[in-house]
Amino acid sequence: MPEEISNTVKSGPAGIAGSWPEHEDTTAKWFLISSIAYFFIVGIIAVTIAAKFVWPSLLGTVQYLTYGRLRPLHVNGMLFGWLLAADMGLTYYLVPRLCGVKLWSEKLGVATAALWNVIVLGAVVCLLMGWNQGLEYAELPLPLDVLVVVAWIMFGANIFMTIASRKYDQMYVSIWYIMGTILWTAFVYLTGNFAVLFATGTNQANLNWMYVHNAVGLIFTPVGLALAYYFIPKASNTPLYSHKLSMIGFWSLAFVYVWTGAHHMLHGPISQWLQTIAIAFSLMLLIPVWAVVYNFFATMKGQWHQLKDNVPLKFLMSGVVFYLLTCFQGPMHSLRSVNAIVSKTDWIPGHAHMAVLGAFSFFAIAGTYFMIPRVFRTRLFSESLGNWSFWFLMLGGLGFFTTLWLGGFWQGWQWNNPAIPFIDTVIALKPVWIVRFFSGILMFLGIVSFAYNIMATIIGAKDNPETAAA
Amino acid sequence: MQQDYVYPSIYFSYFFFALMAAGALYFFLKTWRSGYLGENSEEPKYRMLEDDAPGGQQK
Amino acid sequence: MLRKADTNFGFAIAAALIFFFIGGTLTTIVPPLVDKTWAKPFENSDPAKGPVGQLKPYTDVELKGRAIYVREGCWYCHTQQTRTLLADTKRSGWKGVDSPISTPDEFVYDSPHMFGTKRTGPDLSRVGGKYDTQWHRTHFRNPRDLVPGSIMPPFPWLVANQEEFTAVVAYLQTLGRAKHWRPDNDYEK
């Protein structure tokens, strides 16, 4: 049986050298440029709502700019405007390369990018007007949900057709993860945005939490790991430690993640046995996480010195560390005893930001830093600015995460002592929110330097005669 | 009164863990016997390093 | 098996979907079929079984108020669940009487559900009937006038619009009222 593989695959780099297709990458470019613009714009909103915790009357007389309107805009803008769009753009870049063929349809891809921008702009208008479905992560009104489904089908068809026409039989890890993302997202999104409308109360909440949990677990996690599995070996020019270990990570993720939605309702009005199932499976999440993280660390063995002056690799490996931490927090938080302390506190945004910003946005930023100079056939505008963007985001992120975890525990312990009036637990957290605001400023500076660096690279590529000829 | 589903859920979990352990063992033995667990199935990780024309790469 | 997952496009897709659907079905479709309390409105007339009372559907005005609650994003900072924690039952309590815990049958008419994930302000699952209309008017106009140190944003346009204000207060007064558990000293009565 082992011979099969050597027969079906044109083995070794020598066999494929010189036969690369001419990639256009137009879709990838458009997705990334618009996602970076949203990263910057929504970053302003993020800092504004952090400021509202410190100065609660800020913009308080403008109905369209209250906390309740800006928070969904921040969440949806970052998730769909920035992160998912950037992930899709990078997918359009790496799938054709891993398959050794051109993207199935560049025209369809550009149409998808255009539709995605329509969705994001529509979301801004709707959320500021307060047209909100009232379900977390599913705030967008129904017409926009339908457009998201259409865009996702366009994206999925394009990627699947590319994979189906691939040159090599055996698929690299990133391809499985991307296929998984496309398939699971379809069902997770339909559950969270359409099926919920036919349910009420606890039943609806259960569907809603299945969606919320898996929006992170089966959308951003697999596509983020696809990026990490691609860009860590590429950026360090080191082969991945183990292809087979990555399969354990993938298939256990496929099986375990979807069970855990009810852990958002621990101690709440939902059946105890369902909570127990969610807890058991939350603990099992350690398996896919540690399989993946071990693979990345083992890849870097003997290569850590590269972190010194490799900006994408800095983002990637700190993203891996944050991924490990956030996926340790998650299972621990789902234990009933820990949950009784930290649930519903400021620990929650700390945890959520570490997953979405610390891990998955870091992967996407690294991918952008890696991809943009290559597709525009130029150099990065400034390596040192890239370094600055890393340290701004890193320090801002650490300030944000650590103060909110500690603050969250502190808050939870106070809540569990009913002798303390609620308002005193609010006042006690004010120093935490001040640190959060200044950490937010640091992170925003990181976003600005990242966005400026990329935009200057793109604009500089046009004026560079040497690359224009190439 | 509301029925207590805690114990059935625990038995269900034990059953499920056993089922999964058996499944994992089965797949492991099967792939081991088919010879998949060798070096030659690791090929994609070397190939992906050479997946693009070096033109875009400037160091 | 693993090689097939690795090289066969159709097999990989099928396996990924099957794995997903096992957990997906068992945790979303099956639970409401097993636990009937999720869909049956609360009703109890026997004090031996806990607080008596009955869950009633929302009126039109209350539904309008609920829509405003959703529109203004109140649910981002206020949860609506008294959890099975001693501290929760005390914090949701009133005048020394602990509140009963929230159960699924109290939320049968809620859509969208407002359980919430983040408690920046206090939980509202038992707030109905605790504060009168005048209190809410002053509090919406500027929360810090009544609760120094509060970080709730002011909502002056709610107070200015009599129709919306009446609706939202009507909704707030329904919260947690299905179970009769409190001493008889409601402001509004």
Side-chain angles (χ1 to χ4, degrees):
Chain A
M1 295 273 284
E3 308 88 82
E4 252 177 42
I5 276 182
S6 40
N7 286 341
T8 51
V9 170
K10 300 174 197 75
S11 64
I16 53 165
S19 62
W20 298 285
E22 197 65 36
H23 297 294
E24 284 175 47
D25 294 320
T26 323
T27 314
K29 287 174 188 168
W30 279 115
F31 259 108
L32 276 174
I33 291 172
S34 47
S35 71
I36 291 166
Y38 295 129
F39 200 17
F40 171 74
I41 296 165
V42 182
I44 298 173
I45 294 167
V47 175
T48 311
I49 61 178
K52 278 168 174 282
F53 273 85
V54 186
W55 300 283
S57 292
L58 180 74
L59 302 172
T61 47
V62 188
Q63 188 174 359
Y64 306 102
L65 299 175
T66 52
Y67 181 83
R69 304 278 176 100
L70 291 184
R71 193 196 114 140
L73 188 55
H74 165 60
V75 172
N76 285 279
M78 280 302 183
L79 290 186
F80 298 108
W82 147 246
L83 189 53
L84 194 54
D87 285 347
M88 286 160 83
L90 292 164
T91 302
Y92 280 114
Y93 168 80
L94 62 84
V95 166
R97 280 167 179 75
L98 284 174
C99 295
V101 292
K102 289 175 79 162
L103 184 67
W104 183 61
S105 166
E106 204 70 54
K107 274 188 190 136
L108 180 62
V110 173
T112 316
L115 178 58
W116 200 260
N117 278 289
V118 171
I119 294 167
V120 175
L121 295 176
V124 173
V125 175
C126 292
L127 294 174
L128 288 183
M129 292 306 291
W131 299 330
N132 184 326
Q133 283 204 118
L135 295 160
E136 220 166 329
Y137 287 20
E139 283 98 344
L140 301 188
L142 204 55
L144 286 177
D145 293 344
V146 174
L147 287 184
V148 171
V149 173
V150 172
W152 198 256
I153 292 171
M154 289 161 77
F155 170 64
N158 215 345
I159 297 297
F160 272 118
M161 292 307 281
T162 310
I163 298 176
S165 66
R166 70 191 182 281
K167 232 164 89 184
Y168 323 106
D169 256 358
Q170 209 178 356
M171 293 178 277
Y172 182 65
V173 199
S174 298
I175 297 186
W176 321 327
Y177 272 107
I178 284 165
M179 293 201 302
T181 308
I182 293 170
L183 296 168
W184 300 325
T185 302
F187 291 99
V188 168
Y189 196 84
L190 291 176
T191 308
N193 292 276
F194 297 94
V196 278
L197 304 177
F198 299 98
T200 60
T202 299
N203 191 6
Q204 188 188 49
N206 188 42
L207 297 176
N208 181 215
W209 297 135
M210 183 271 195
Y211 165 66
V212 167
H213 182 79
N214 293 309
V216 179
L218 290 176
I219 301 179
F220 293 111
T221 299
V223 74
L225 293 181
L227 302 185
Y229 268 116
Y230 184 80
F231 288 112
I232 289 178
K234 288 295 260 187
S236 63
N237 206 19
T238 314
L240 183 71
Y241 168 70
S242 167
H243 180 77
K244 283 185 288 277
L245 178 60
S246 62
M247 294 190 99
I248 297 179
F250 177 77
W251 291 105
S252 50
L253 177 106
F255 184 66
V256 169
Y257 235 113
V258 67
W259 293 79
T260 52
H263 72 199
H264 290 253
M265 292 275 285
L266 290 188
H267 303 290
I270 195 166
S271 320
Q272 288 292 332
W273 53 270
L274 190 59
Q275 298 182 22
T276 309
I277 291 177
I279 294 170
F281 277 87
S282 301
L283 285 174
M284 278 193 264
L285 285 183
L286 292 175
I287 301 168
V289 173
W290 289 3
V292 164
V293 170
Y294 181 79
N295 215 346
F296 291 152
F297 280 158
T299 304
M300 288 308 288
K301 196 178 172 195
Q303 302 294 334
W304 289 102
H305 62 274
Q306 290 200 33
L307 284 183
K308 204 173 140 236
D309 44 28
N310 187 333
V311 173
L313 207 54
K314 283 183 202 196
F315 274 108
L316 286 164
M317 291 320 287
S318 19
V320 172
V321 174
F322 283 135
Y323 178 64
L324 178 68
L325 288 175
T326 196
C327 291
F328 184 72
Q329 285 188 321
M332 293 308 117
H333 175 198
S334 63
L335 298 174
R336 279 193 176 85
S337 50
V338 181
N339 188 279
I341 302 166
V342 296
S343 185
K344 320 270 182 289
T345 66
D346 277 72
W347 191 95
I348 305 293
H351 170 66
H353 279 81
M354 190 159 61
V356 176
L357 177 91
F360 304 129
S361 290
F362 271 32
F363 293 156
I365 291 170
T368 310
Y369 270 131
F370 184 89
M371 176 195 127
I372 290 290
R374 283 171 176 77
V375 295
F376 284 94
R377 299 199 166 71
T378 180
R379 276 168 212 284
L380 187 65
F381 168 72
S382 163
E383 285 289 330
S384 69
L385 191 60
N387 243 329
W388 278 101
S389 71
F390 172 75
W391 285 109
F392 277 137
L393 279 164
M394 183 71 179
L395 292 176
L398 279 178
F400 188 105
F401 310 146
T402 44
T403 44
L404 286 196
W405 307 329
L406 297 175
F409 269 99
W410 187 28
Q411 194 179 20
W413 282 319
Q414 292 182 62
W415 285 354
N416 276 295
N417 177 357
I420 303 176
F422 190 87
I423 187 61
D424 289 355
T425 71
V426 175
I427 293 167
L429 253 314
K430 287 196 173 169
V432 168
W433 292 327
I434 291 174
V435 177
R436 184 234 286 255
F437 171 67
F438 284 107
S439 306
I441 299 256
L442 279 181
M443 288 195 274
F444 183 65
L445 288 175
I447 295 173
V448 170
S449 41
F450 162 68
Y452 180 77
N453 209 351
I454 295 297
M455 292 304 169
T457 306
I458 293 171
I459 291 164
K462 271 195 207 148
D463 315 331
N464 191 340
E466 173 195 338
T467 56
Chain B
M1 255 339 248
Q2 193 186 329
Q3 227 186 316
D4 187 356
Y5 292 101
V6 171
Y7 280 96
S9 75
I10 290 171
Y11 297 138
F12 172 78
S13 313
Y14 286 155
F15 168 71
F16 217 87
F17 279 123
L19 203 69
M20 278 191 296
L25 197 67
Y26 171 75
F27 286 121
F28 174 72
L29 288 175
K30 205 172 155 158
T31 41
W32 186 40
R33 287 183 43 198
S34 76
Y36 182 82
L37 300 180
E39 264 303 305
N40 52 19
S41 56
E42 295 279 314
E43 196 268 339
K45 76 184 190 195
Y46 300 108
R47 188 181 62 219
M48 63 86 65
L49 290 174
E50 312 283 336
D51 68 355
D52 201 0
Q57 219 156 334
Q58 294 190 358
K59 250 264 131 116
Chain C
M1 217 62 173
L2 277 181
R3 173 173 309 141
K4 238 178 160 181
D6 211 359
T7 55
N8 187 325
F9 186 58
F11 180 87
I13 292 178
L17 283 180
I18 291 169
F19 270 36
F20 170 82
F21 275 118
I22 297 173
T25 322
L26 285 176
T27 55
T28 58
I29 299 172
V30 172
L33 301 176
V34 174
D35 194 338
K36 300 292 183 200
T37 65
W38 287 20
K40 202 170 134 267
F42 172 78
E43 189 167 9
N44 180 28
S45 49
D46 178 5
K49 289 181 180 172
V52 295
Q54 188 190 6
L55 181 71
K56 294 191 191 75
Y58 294 108
T59 65
D60 284 346
V61 177
E62 289 160 5
L63 277 178
K64 191 160 177 286
R66 198 167 198 280
I68 295 164
Y69 186 92
V70 172
R71 181 191 78 194
E72 298 297 339
C74 308
W75 50 288
Y76 288 113
C77 294
H78 295 285
T79 55
Q80 286 190 16
Q81 43 179 321
T82 303
R83 297 172 296 168
T84 51
L85 300 175
L86 184 65
D88 266 32
T89 62
K90 293 211 179 286
R91 287 197 185 278
S92 291
W94 190 241
K95 303 210 185 279
V97 179
D98 292 354
S99 136
I101 57 164
S102 297
T103 46
D105 49 11
E106 286 181 88
F107 302 93
V108 175
Y109 299 116
D110 283 16
S111 180
H113 76 87
M114 290 284 117
F115 292 123
T117 38
K118 180 71 185 17
R119 204 172 269 184
T120 305
D123 181 82
L124 299 184
S125 56
R126 300 277 177 220
V127 83
K130 285 182 186 172
Y131 305 98
D132 63 7
T133 307
Q134 186 52 45
W135 187 93
H136 280 298
R137 182 177 286 122
T138 316
H139 188 250
F140 275 129
R141 195 177 284 133
N142 184 9
R144 275 159 293 286
D145 287 349
L146 285 177
V147 189
S150 164
I151 62 159
M152 179 169 145
F155 290 91
W157 54 90
L158 271 188
V159 183
N161 184 332
Q162 189 55 42
E163 202 189 338
E164 289 201 344
F165 176 72
T166 313
V168 82
V169 172
Y171 168 63
L172 290 176
Q173 302 296 22
T174 67
L175 292 176
R177 304 299 291 280
K179 291 179 178 171
H180 299 308
W181 58 279
R182 247 170 340 160
D184 237 353
N185 47 12
D186 292 350
Y187 280 120
E188 61 191 300
K189 280 180 186 164

